[in-house]
Amino acid sequence: MNYVDNTPSSPGKFKMEKSSYKRLHSSLAKLTFWSLVFLGIIFIYFYSFNSASSSHSQSDLSRRSLRTSFYGGHVFERKVQASAKMKPGRKMSVLVTGAAGFVGSHVSLALKRRGDGVLGLDNFNDYYDPSLKRARQVLLERSGVFIVEGDINDVELLKKLFDIVPFTHVMHLAAQAGVRYAMENPSSYVHSNIAGLVTLLEVCKSANPQPAIVWASSSSVYGLNTKVPFSEKDRTDQPASLYAATKKAGEEIAHTYNHIYGLSLTGLRFFTVYGPWGRPDMAYFFFTRDILKGKGIPIFEAPNHGTVARDFTFIEDIVKGCIAALDTAEKSTGSGGKKKGPAQLRVYNLGNTSPVPVADLVTILEKLLKVKASRLVMKLPRNGDVQFTHANISLAQRELGYKPTTDLHTGLKKFVQWYVNYYGDGKKSTH
């Protein structure tokens, strides 16, 4: 009733409709204005996006063009051919992956010195200080070894290199190393150690002629095995780390490519390699750095005060084993991706056969550096490390003539001399 009573009269009703018309007109004007603003924003956004995309595409195209030019130009091809050229009397042309790495650089130099053709491949990643890898690169280039900067997962690059040079052998040392880092960046291990190996083998099996391949496995494949010393016939189905699991997977992948495509494959299980130009993530290396800087040294011990020991193997002994594996590698039996007969498939331990407690390693370093270490005894963490490693090398001795000759004190003395010469007073960063 009140609503009816409050209904305006005709004149008032007319005024209300006129007022509503004005408000409606005003609203439409505002709506039109904001619509135009909105459309303007959309236009500007898409214009900027397209410009950025165009610029990005042009940038990508430019990079690709530069890369194609770098990998396919005459200058590049001449460098590759010159580096891979064998001296008279030699019959081996080797592609060394991970050539700027610790083992890769030493093997490359040893092969080049005896007259073999050597071409390096390395992606110079920053797992540890790339400047150390660049320093190794300078050392190699002085000896005539050219390193192509690229990734082993780059199929086109690998095919290009095989088009330029008919490699007789591949020394595959490129890998994501380190047991503990796998807990931080697990995908890098799958990318390098599994996908990278498959990519390389795919290119090798299609090459004509197929190269013989020697590649780096690891003592880590023995994992939680308690039988010592570790023999090639021992079980390797209990990996203690992702790194170990990827290396074990690599051995199974090698078996597959050998069986299906006739690739000659030799896996080398390295045992704690150390020496000059080593890796900064290895205990002997950062112990040296931290002792000189006065920092504490973590000494791990196993449950019930158990000793943690490693079968430390000097780099020169490892190099001899690598070259012996290359020299005794039989030719692959496939051609153009097709197997024509059974091919060689081998796995060897390359160690020193003399495990040394890590605490003794520190004692030796103290004497060589003439500095007392601050020891921090702590429990062995559950991060993939195992209590001990110990190699049975009888198979490598018998079939490769492998015989390590460097004891830990002698090897560490050579390492310390290099370290002090390279890093000066020890305060220069190693990261």
Side-chain angles (χ1 to χ4, degrees):
M1 185 67 181
N2 288 337
Y3 175 77
V4 175
D5 288 344
N6 289 334
T7 301
S9 62
S10 294
K13 183 178 181 181
F14 174 79
K15 290 178 182 178
M16 182 194 70
E17 289 175 348
K18 186 175 181 180
S19 175
S20 296
Y21 173 79
K22 288 181 178 178
R23 285 198 299 272
L24 179 61
H25 181 75
S26 175
S27 296
L28 286 172
K30 289 180 179 179
L31 180 62
T32 302
F33 172 75
W34 286 113
S35 295
L36 289 172
V37 170
F38 182 67
L39 288 171
I41 292 172
I42 292 176
F43 174 78
I44 292 171
Y45 172 79
F46 277 104
Y47 177 79
S48 300
F49 178 80
N50 289 334
S51 296
S53 297
S54 176
S55 174
H56 182 68
S57 297
Q58 290 176 357
S59 178
D60 284 347
L61 181 61
S62 174
R63 283 196 293 269
R64 287 197 297 269
S65 296
L66 285 171
R67 176 177 171 178
T68 301
S69 174
F70 178 72
Y71 286 155
H74 294 301
V75 174
F76 170 77
E77 292 188 9
R78 283 198 295 270
K79 286 183 178 180
V80 168
Q81 291 169 340
S83 184
K85 186 177 180 181
M86 301 169 274
K87 287 186 177 180
R90 303 303 305 177
K91 298 181 179 180
M92 192 180 295
S93 180
V94 189
L95 172 64
V96 180
T97 68
F102 174 32
V103 179
S105 58
H106 281 274
V107 171
S108 296
L109 284 171
L111 289 170
K112 196 67 176 179
R113 288 190 188 113
R114 71 175 198 172
D116 294 312
V118 182
L119 178 70
L121 175 64
D122 204 293
N123 67 359
F124 292 91
N125 68 29
D126 60 356
Y127 167 61
Y128 60 83
D129 185 6
S131 69
L132 182 57
K133 299 178 183 180
R134 295 297 180 184
R136 297 187 192 121
Q137 180 185 26
V138 171
L139 196 66
L140 288 171
E141 289 184 344
R142 287 174 182 168
S143 298
V145 178
F146 176 53
I147 299 181
V148 177
E149 186 167 353
D151 196 280
I152 54 173
N153 282 287
D154 189 337
V155 177
E156 295 306 315
L157 172 58
L158 290 175
K159 287 181 178 179
K160 181 67 178 177
L161 297 180
F162 273 88
D163 285 342
I164 299 172
V165 179
F167 297 104
T168 61
H169 296 72
V170 172
M171 186 75 215
H172 178 46
L173 298 169
Q176 176 57 62
V179 169
R180 301 170 192 172
Y181 183 61
M183 298 181 72
E184 300 177 32
N185 189 6
S187 61
S188 66
Y189 289 78
V190 177
H191 176 80
S192 296
N193 302 357
I194 297 178
L197 176 60
V198 170
T199 302
L200 178 65
L201 294 181
E202 278 292 306
V203 174
C204 288
K205 60 106 169 172
S206 299
N208 195 5
Q210 291 178 338
I213 302 161
V214 177
W215 68 286
S217 182
S218 170
S219 62
S220 296
V221 299
Y222 292 109
L224 302 177
N225 193 351
T226 58
K227 174 183 171 295
V228 291
F230 299 149
S231 170
E232 290 88 347
K233 295 181 179 179
D234 291 342
R235 64 186 298 183
T236 55
D237 59 351
Q238 304 176 92
S241 66
L242 179 61
Y243 169 70
T246 61
K247 286 299 184 179
K248 171 60 177 176
E251 292 188 357
E252 300 304 319
I253 291 168
H255 179 277
T256 302
Y257 275 80
N258 169 268
H259 173 68
I260 297 176
Y261 301 110
L263 284 175
S264 171
L265 282 147
T266 302
L268 303 176
R269 294 173 178 171
F270 297 153
F271 281 72
T272 317
V273 189
Y274 73 100
W277 295 99
R279 284 186 5 228
D281 65 316
M282 297 293 286
Y284 73 92
F285 198 116
F286 64 77
F287 280 1
T288 300
R289 177 196 66 209
D290 291 345
I291 289 174
L292 288 172
K293 290 186 176 182
K295 294 183 178 180
I297 303 299
I299 306 295
F300 296 134
E301 64 177 21
N304 300 318
H305 304 289
T307 299
V308 174
R310 292 289 180 270
D311 196 349
F312 296 101
T313 313
F314 192 57
I315 183 62
E316 291 178 8
D317 292 324
I318 289 292
V319 169
K320 291 175 184 176
C322 290
I323 292 180
L326 287 169
D327 288 341
T328 57
E330 296 176 1
K331 292 182 179 180
S332 293
T333 61
S335 178
K338 295 182 180 180
K339 181 178 180 179
K340 294 183 179 180
Q344 188 181 53
L345 180 66
R346 307 179 295 174
V347 174
Y348 297 107
N349 288 337
L350 294 187
N352 194 52
T353 75
S354 301
V356 176
V358 175
D360 292 355
L361 165 75
V362 176
T363 299
I364 295 172
L365 287 174
E366 287 177 323
K367 293 177 180 178
L368 292 171
L369 295 169
K370 295 181 174 59
V371 178
K372 187 70 175 176
S374 174
R375 304 187 185 209
L376 306 174
V377 180
M378 55 186 69
K379 293 181 180 180
L380 184 68
R382 286 182 169 271
N383 58 8
D385 278 323
V386 294
Q387 182 177 348
F388 52 80
T389 60
H390 183 184
N392 177 339
I393 61 169
S394 58
L395 183 63
Q397 285 179 323
R398 184 168 62 251
E399 298 187 4
L400 302 181
Y402 173 71
K403 186 179 180 181
T405 58
T406 310
D407 63 85
L408 185 59
H409 186 278
T410 301
L412 284 177
K413 183 178 181 180
K414 292 182 179 180
F415 165 73
V416 167
Q417 289 173 341
W418 168 83
Y419 185 96
V420 173
N421 182 62
Y422 185 81
Y423 289 107
D425 57 7
K427 296 179 180 180
K428 180 179 176 182
S429 175
T430 61
H431 294 289

